[in-house]
Amino acid sequence: MTRSRRQLSGAEELALTTQVEAVCPICGVGLFRRKGRKEFKDYEIAHIYPLNPTVEERIVLNGLRKLNEDPNHLDNLIPLCSGCHSAFDKPRTADEYLALIDKKEALIAVLEQRKLQHFYFLQDEVSRIVEALDSDDYTAANVILSLEAKPIDEKFDSTMPPQLRRKIRRAVSEFFSDVRERFQNLDKERPGVSDLISAQVKAFYKAQRVNQWTQQQIFTSVTDWIQKRTNAKTREAAEIVAAFFVQNCEVFE
Ligand SMILES: [Zn+2]
């Protein structure tokens, strides 16, 4: 039986091109071309798992995971520039197929994470800590010994890449005790507020965890959430607060 390509609605096509941020997810070239005053499509919608696999393709892809059993499902479709599309299709290799599956899965996760970031509330008081970290005259009140931050390594699993581990470890050893003191000060003004913040961060973390995202994806999403919710000027300040919550056990427990 030969399956036919499903006609996508305008909204579906827009959703797919937005998901890849309007660039080819393989080579990075823009998916739209401007000529004069008009904008033209410069992409093709590719099936990640082929719509009508040939005998060779069935053998190559046999047993490999799919994001959906229906090849016409949006999770199996991705816009590619025409060059990458034909290179991807002919010949189809298991490695390239799996790499594109990984990419698509990460893109789906980013969108889901954005929804969660919008849905989960974070107390306004956190903005004050982020602002202090971002201010020109910031000086950490006291720096703890790196020894104290050591157990943080035990919280990481293999999905946390080494460069991000180092970054979190550095943020903890440099800023943990200072950020902790700032939370304690918030509590003096409004008793219980740091407990409330802790519960909010934990809930946000758990919402990520049920989706089985990697530690790298989760830490990035926690940072994005803090940055958006606090209007942090720099990503670094949001990262320091996210690293605080790792050491303080709200994230990665
Ligand atoms: Zn391309």
Side-chain angles (χ1 to χ4, degrees):
M1 183 189 82
T2 310
R3 289 178 199 255
S4 50
R5 177 177 274 270
R6 185 164 71 88
Q7 188 69 37
L8 294 177
S9 71
E12 286 173 325
E13 205 156 321
L14 186 63
L16 289 174
T17 50
T18 306
Q19 192 179 52
V20 295
E21 295 179 336
V23 296
C24 171
I26 294 182
C27 72
V29 73
L31 295 183
F32 297 91
R33 187 168 35 89
R34 177 163 286 219
K35 209 170 184 184
R37 291 163 129 192
K38 280 190 168 170
E39 199 80 37
F40 292 90
K41 287 183 186 179
D42 207 3
Y43 63 85
E44 295 163 4
I45 301 288
H47 287 83
I48 303 175
Y49 188 89
L51 184 60
N52 293 296
T54 61
V55 178
E56 293 79 17
E57 285 173 333
R58 278 183 201 280
I59 296 168
V60 168
L61 304 177
N62 184 33
L64 301 182
R65 66 200 183 96
K66 296 176 192 174
L67 293 183
N68 200 287
E69 282 306 315
D70 172 11
N72 274 321
H73 190 278
L74 290 189
D75 286 351
N76 188 53
L77 300 176
I78 195 160
L80 299 177
C81 75
S82 58
C84 288
H85 190 186
S86 41
F88 177 70
D89 277 357
K90 297 179 200 82
R92 198 167 300 249
T93 66
D95 283 350
E96 282 173 350
Y97 169 77
L98 288 173
L100 200 56
I101 285 262
D102 283 348
K103 224 166 244 180
K104 177 73 180 186
E105 207 166 37
L107 292 165
I108 294 170
V110 166
L111 224 63
E112 283 304 308
Q113 283 163 348
R114 281 188 193 148
K115 284 184 202 158
L116 291 181
Q117 288 158 16
H118 178 76
F119 185 76
Y120 281 81
F121 182 75
L122 183 63
Q123 217 49 30
D124 277 347
E125 280 89 343
V126 182
S127 310
R128 285 167 51 192
I129 293 174
V130 168
E131 262 167 42
L133 289 165
D134 263 334
S135 75
D136 290 339
D137 51 1
Y138 174 81
T139 41
N142 40 32
V143 175
I144 53 163
L145 295 170
S146 55
L147 198 68
E148 210 183 316
K150 211 181 164 196
I152 199 164
D153 280 319
E154 290 156 23
K155 299 172 202 273
F156 299 142
D157 64 26
S158 60
T159 65
M160 179 62 89
Q163 58 291 23
L164 194 52
R165 278 169 202 240
R166 277 196 291 276
K167 203 180 210 183
I168 297 171
R169 214 184 297 135
R170 217 180 307 129
V172 166
S173 61
E174 211 171 315
F175 299 100
F176 179 78
S177 53
D178 182 57
V179 173
R180 183 173 53 189
E181 203 175 302
R182 288 174 194 272
F183 274 112
Q184 286 162 352
N185 289 339
L186 291 180
D187 249 357
K188 282 178 201 152
E189 286 175 36
R190 250 180 108 196
V193 75
S194 69
D195 258 2
L196 175 60
I197 292 167
S198 166
Q200 289 168 341
V201 176
K202 256 188 205 154
F204 182 70
Y205 164 67
K206 284 178 199 280
Q208 315 274 313
R209 204 187 51 178
V210 290
N211 284 293
Q212 301 187 335
W213 288 320
T214 65
Q215 284 198 333
Q216 179 179 20
Q217 285 174 314
I218 291 176
F219 186 78
T220 304
S221 183
V222 170
T223 306
D224 287 342
W225 177 59
I226 293 171
Q227 187 169 10
K228 274 182 211 156
R229 287 284 171 187
T230 62
N231 286 320
K233 267 195 280 178
T234 67
R235 185 168 179 80
E236 285 69 20
E239 249 166 15
I240 289 168
V241 176
F244 169 83
F245 289 124
V246 173
Q247 174 73 3
N248 213 39
C249 298
E250 283 82 5
V251 176
F252 305 148
E253 294 159 331

